Amino acid sequence: VREFSAVILGAGGVGKSALTLRFMKGYFHEAYDPTIEETYRRTITLDDEASRLEVLDTAGTEQFVALNDLYIKAGRGFILAFSLTDQSTLKEIESLREQILRLKGDRVPIVVVGTKSDLPEERQVDREQMMQISLGWGVPIYETSAKKNWHVKDAFDDLLRQMRMR
Ligand code: GDP
Ligand code: MG
């Protein structure tokens, strides 16, 4: 069984832990603890192949570029998470992407995830803007809700398929 390590990065509070827990453990965790950094492991069968997936859920330390460097060096693929309800969280994934490209080159597996799609009345990032990111960066982008379990598996499956091919 091949093993792959993924890292989820993004601004504090966007829902990285909720997304990771939803996919790796199967439940939604309401409470917010920005300080928890944790690695989760799971065997996933996808396209008739079993893989060991390790996901590092990073904690809100985006100001420490050196720490992000360590996270990025440790990962084979990346989920860049922003909140659909907070336009300013796009800035963070822009700089994270640049950091990843600098350290890993431009063929690195990346999936961009907009979180909290179950809160349409609070939405600040529209489809048009998401299309621009996806086309501009050449990466897949998903609208997800960890709370409702919308498209969470789609995003992780996409990343695993990319990692298998590289
Ligand atoms: P992190 O700092 O990026 O790990 O963010 P968390 O996963 O801890 O989530 C921050 C807050 O957003 C928590 O209060 C979560 O309950 C909430 N949250 C996370 N994902 C969702 C979601 O899909 N929908 C809604 N409504 N709230 C969410
Ligand atoms: Mg967290």
Side-chain angles (χ1 to χ4, degrees):
V1 176
R2 289 195 288 161
E3 293 184 25
F4 299 96
S5 59
V7 181
I8 181 163
L9 294 160
V14 297
K16 298 179 297 296
S17 298
L19 197 78
T20 306
L21 283 168
R22 169 60 81 189
F23 185 66
M24 298 301 272
K25 299 283 171 199
Y27 59 79
F28 178 66
H29 188 72
E30 187 83 47
Y32 175 40
D33 184 341
T35 66
I36 292 178
E37 178 192 306
E38 183 74 68
T39 300
Y40 301 89
R41 290 175 189 83
R42 221 190 108 179
T43 301
I44 290 155
T45 301
L46 177 68
D47 307 328
D48 299 319
E49 182 185 346
S51 299
R52 285 292 289 170
L53 179 67
E54 183 181 289
V55 177
L56 170 61
D57 172 29
T58 62
T61 50
E62 46 271 355
Q63 58 272 46
F64 300 115
V65 173
L67 186 52
N68 281 335
D69 274 4
L70 289 180
Y71 289 147
I72 291 167
K73 281 175 186 157
R76 171 123 165 215
F78 301 89
I79 291 188
L80 297 181
F82 71 96
S83 174
L84 292 164
T85 67
D86 185 351
Q87 179 81 36
S88 73
T89 59
L90 283 173
K91 284 260 179 333
E92 184 64 30
I93 64 164
E94 272 169 36
S95 62
L96 284 164
R97 174 177 173 266
E98 282 164 17
Q99 220 174 327
I100 290 168
L101 296 190
R102 194 153 27 80
L103 289 164
K104 295 264 173 178
D106 58 4
R107 305 242 321 135
V108 62
I110 292 178
V111 169
V112 174
V113 162
T115 61
K116 311 190 187 182
S117 64
D118 59 286
L119 300 173
E121 65 288 347
E122 293 175 34
R123 188 159 171 150
Q124 293 183 2
V125 180
D126 64 18
R127 285 263 159 82
E128 174 69 33
Q129 227 182 326
M130 293 183 64
M131 284 285 285
Q132 280 173 10
I133 292 168
S134 181
L135 291 171
W137 295 2
V139 296
I141 190 161
Y142 291 90
E143 289 185 10
T144 66
S145 168
K147 187 169 189 171
K148 304 280 191 187
N149 200 12
W150 291 340
H151 301 297
V152 176
K153 179 172 161 47
D154 294 336
F156 279 94
D157 284 355
D158 190 319
L159 187 69
L160 179 56
R161 287 193 179 103
Q162 288 188 51
M163 291 193 295
R164 281 173 174 176
M165 288 189 306
R166 306 273 159 90

